[in-house]
Each structure stands twice: as structure tokens, then as C-alpha cells.
Amino acid sequence: MDERGIPPAEPGPTAWTGRDSFLAWTKAQRAAELLNRLPEPARRGWTFDRLVRLLEALGLTRPHQYLEAGWWVPEAVRRDPQRSEELYRRVQEAMAGGVIPPAHAPYTWDDVRRLVELCGFTADELVAQLAWVYALTLGETIFVETASRVAGPRQGGTEPGNAPGPPGGGSGDP
């Protein structure tokens, strides 16, 4: 459960249609496998702050990197045109009302938090989206090891999320 009591999300949509349906299904299955490879503390119960520690450990140190990559929008939402349009409208209204900065303005992690909360996304959903992003790439192991380390219990005096960057010193890009 996340901080709002919502159970962890399943990566990817439930209905597969279109010409990429087999690839999308395969990617979603692999994302689910990646999430299942995580130790129990890393499978659910993510908070936004812990998600940011994960993103930074994966090499995404600036909020705009995360936003520009589009990783903040779960795949199921991407595949649902009606929901996507509704969220687009809501985000545009929030920008116009000054709730969040305009699209190309500098964002802080607090701005990103407001954006994802506005859209109703949970940290668990966003971690599931990261699993989807890293699935079927050379970065699968980096994702699993980094998420495990960030979510893991204190070991040797290291707070979760304060361990060094991705294994092998890579950038973490999938």
C-alpha cells in the first residue's frame, strides 16, 4: 500500500489491442517479472520522496529529465485516450492557474510531486512505470539492483536511498 492506502499497481494496461499488442504484452510481462524480482520492501509502499531517491540513484538528478522522458505517465494511461485527454486538460488548467509551472519552466521535485498528485498517480504506480521503462532493455539489472538498494533496510549505517548511484557507475539510462 502507498501512503494513501492504495495497493500496488500492475504495470501496463489490461486490454491489448493494436499492431504492437504482442510487444506491449511482452514488455508488460517482463515489467511484472522485474517487480517480482524486487525484495518485499521494494515491491510496494513507495512514497514520493523514496521515488525521488530512486530516480536520483538511477542518474535522473534533475526533475526535467524525468518529465521530458515521460516516465511520470503510467503506460495504462498512455493507452487510454480518454483518460489521457482528461489529464491533459487538468494539467493545462493547473498551469494556467499557477498550481504548477508552465511546461517549459524549470521544475523542482516539489513541482513534480504536485503534478503527479494532480493526476492522481501513486508512487507505486510510478515505480511500476519505471519497471516498464527498464523492461526488455540492458538496464533491467540496474533497475532491480538500484530499487532494491533504495528500498532496502538500513545496512552498515547506510540509510535507504543514500547509497551511491547505479551499479557499475553507469548513468542508469535504459
Side-chain angles (χ1 to χ4, degrees):
M1 300 280 180
D2 71 1
E3 62 268 9
R4 295 183 290 176
I6 298 173
E10 293 294 327
T14 56
W16 300 105
T17 59
R19 71 170 199 249
D20 68 337
S21 61
F22 179 73
L23 177 58
W25 178 85
T26 302
K27 190 159 177 84
Q29 296 305 305
R30 186 60 180 165
E33 289 173 14
L34 293 181
L35 290 173
N36 286 329
R37 284 177 40 197
L38 295 173
E40 192 60 34
R43 289 186 191 174
R44 63 189 57 82
W46 285 84
T47 64
F48 186 80
D49 291 336
R50 195 163 69 157
L51 172 66
V52 170
R53 288 193 305 266
L54 173 59
L55 292 169
E56 289 176 341
L58 288 169
L60 294 163
T61 57
R62 293 182 307 276
H64 82 271
Q65 293 171 300
Y66 182 58
L67 295 174
E68 288 177 357
W71 295 352
W72 64 279
V73 180
E75 188 63 19
V77 174
R78 293 173 190 269
R79 291 179 175 272
D80 183 342
Q82 185 176 4
R83 188 167 176 207
S84 292
E85 286 299 319
E86 168 57 28
L87 290 177
Y88 177 78
R89 184 193 55 74
R90 192 181 313 164
V91 168
Q92 293 300 312
E93 289 172 0
M95 286 180 188
V99 175
I100 56 175
H104 298 293
Y107 268 63
T108 65
W109 286 118
D110 284 334
D111 295 327
V112 174
R113 179 195 311 257
R114 280 193 302 281
L115 173 63
V116 298
E117 286 174 354
L118 172 77
C119 293
F121 303 146
T122 67
D124 281 340
E125 284 178 302
L126 298 176
V127 170
Q129 174 62 17
L130 283 174
W132 191 92
V133 166
Y134 278 86
L136 302 178
T137 72
L138 296 175
E140 286 184 348
T141 300
I142 291 170
F143 169 76
V144 170
E145 290 177 0
T146 305
S148 298
R149 187 175 64 250
V150 168
R154 187 186 306 225
Q155 295 175 345
T158 300
E159 285 288 330
N162 292 333
S171 71
D173 292 333

